[in-house]
Amino acid sequence: MEIEEAIKRAKQNDQKAFNYLLHNYWDKVYGFQLKRIQNENDAEDITIQTFSKAFDKIETYDSKYAFNTWLITISKNIHIDIIRKQKNSIKQAISNSDDNAVYQVVDETPSVEDKLITEQNLAKLLRDIKKLKPHYQEVINLRYFQELSYKEISDELKEPINNIKVKLLRAKKLLAEIIQKK
């Protein structure tokens, strides 16, 4: 399958085309992010978000640009958004001894309300996860509740790692749709 053909078929929601594109471009996007942020887990998360967003918006892809360039641009924008969110969540504390010295301190302590909301949301989330097909439930459980790496999930389920990534991507998308319907 050629790239142009895969893109055309992906625009028609062909899962094999999505898998083909993911397989062909994963290393390029992941490598780009790894060079940028030098953290394997964060690079992998951003790469997954990149493909998720790209596949959601595949119909907006303009063939006068290289597909690789389009993916890298999406990846770059996701990383910039993450940095912006991190900066907005940081409280700045000014030192008493030096008025010009500024330190960035992250306030990560959850309030009592946050804990209560988290507990209630977890119960709702578990109910929503049970609405997914069993193979999607399993991959979400392994990744987010047992905190296994993609490699460990791949070994456990005896499936290629790219299949695990795609399955997790679909599971998260379906779960988001279930949550939004409420």
Side-chain angles (χ1 to χ4, degrees), residues 144-162:
Y144 297 106
F145 293 100
Q146 294 183 29
E147 297 182 350
L148 297 183
S149 69
Y150 292 107
K151 173 83 174 94
E152 292 167 329
I153 296 170
S154 172
D155 293 343
E156 172 107 4
L157 299 179
K158 294 174 181 43
E159 291 185 36
I161 198 163
N162 279 345

Side-chain angles (χ1 to χ4, degrees), residues 55-117:
F55 292 166
D56 281 346
K57 306 287 185 190
I58 191 83
E59 71 280 350
T60 66
Y61 168 70
D62 186 346
S63 60
K64 69 180 175 187
Y65 301 104
F67 191 69
N68 185 45
T69 305
W70 187 66
L71 286 172
I72 295 295
T73 302
I74 291 171
S75 182
K76 199 183 301 182
N77 289 338
I78 288 171
H79 182 231
I80 290 168
D81 288 345
I82 289 170
I83 290 170
R84 282 187 189 134
K85 286 177 186 171
Q86 286 173 345
K87 283 183 180 179
N88 289 337
S89 70
I90 292 177
K91 292 182 178 179
Q92 291 189 347
I94 299 175
S95 160
N96 292 336
S97 62
D98 184 359
D99 289 342
N100 294 326
V102 175
Y103 301 93
Q104 293 185 332
V105 180
V106 179
D107 182 15
E108 294 179 353
T109 52
S111 68
V112 176
E113 295 85 3
D114 289 336
K115 289 178 187 172
L116 185 62
I117 289 168

